[in-house]
Amino acid sequence: MKKRICIVLAGILVAFTFSRFVTPSALSQTETTVVQPVFSGEERETAIALFNRVNQYRISIGVQPLVWDEALYPVARTRATEIVVKWSHCRPNGTYPDTAFKENGINRKLLSENILKYPLSVEHGFISWYHSDSHRKAMGNKNYTRSAIYAFRAADGQLYVAQEFTD
């Protein structure tokens, strides 16, 4: 059941993303190792600005803003680097994203993530998530109270972003 859900979610996300952001050359990527990013101040500022934009949305729909959780930051970093290798909510090793939480000592029942590739701006990234039902639901879920975002520009020049949520 989990595999079916992961495949369906990945399909929806890929279809949405490919229709807007992915170039044909990106489709032929065959890299199999995880990229270790260099995280600059600008990229951290982008992550925080996107986090704040998500919180603006939450407030606008009457939901408490998320709290930045540094414990989730390594999970977001792991997932952001993995989506360079495999653009999916399923990890390159074939496991589900919840294993990234567990590997970082986070054992919660409520977990979710939003991933993003190549936003032109913070607002563009937010709008991309907003126009996806599953991503919008994650952003506005009142049961998620904690979050962190990691963003970095990979060697291919594209910006990769992962936002992790928990209760």
Side-chain angles (χ1 to χ4, degrees), residues 2-152:
K2 276 188 170 183
K3 187 171 187 169
R4 182 181 296 165
I5 290 170
C6 193
I7 290 170
V8 170
L9 288 174
I12 292 168
L13 180 64
V14 167
F16 173 76
T17 302
F18 282 174
S19 68
R20 296 201 162 130
F21 310 119
V22 177
T23 62
S25 62
L27 295 174
S28 64
Q29 184 178 358
T30 58
E31 184 178 1
T32 59
T33 58
V34 174
V35 175
Q36 295 302 317
V38 175
F39 196 67
S40 72
E42 177 187 359
E43 291 158 333
R44 178 129 174 138
E45 288 175 19
T46 298
I48 291 169
L50 188 53
F51 180 86
N52 290 335
R53 182 62 183 96
V54 169
N55 272 341
Q56 288 174 351
Y57 168 68
R58 289 173 66 91
I59 291 166
S60 77
I61 60 169
V63 177
Q64 290 293 313
L66 295 162
V67 173
W68 182 276
D69 188 341
E70 280 295 321
L72 292 175
Y73 193 66
V75 180
R77 182 180 58 237
T78 296
R79 291 296 297 131
T81 59
E82 289 177 343
I83 62 175
V84 174
V85 176
K86 182 177 182 182
W87 179 246
S88 173
H89 285 287
C90 297
R91 299 179 71 190
N93 65 7
T95 61
Y96 299 106
D98 65 321
T99 59
F101 287 87
K102 291 174 186 165
E103 289 168 7
N104 286 281
I106 299 169
N107 295 303
R108 303 284 198 160
K109 289 187 178 187
L110 291 176
L111 306 168
S112 187
E113 76 174 2
N114 283 347
I115 59 175
L116 185 61
K117 180 178 181 182
Y118 199 63
L120 302 175
S121 66
V122 168
E123 189 63 18
H124 181 259
F126 170 78
I127 289 170
S128 296
W129 281 341
Y130 181 82
H131 286 293
S132 162
D133 287 340
S134 60
H135 292 91
R136 185 174 58 252
K137 286 177 184 174
M139 290 190 301
N141 187 326
K142 68 180 181 180
N143 296 311
Y144 297 134
T145 59
R146 311 184 82 65
S147 182
I149 297 179
Y150 188 85
F152 77 99

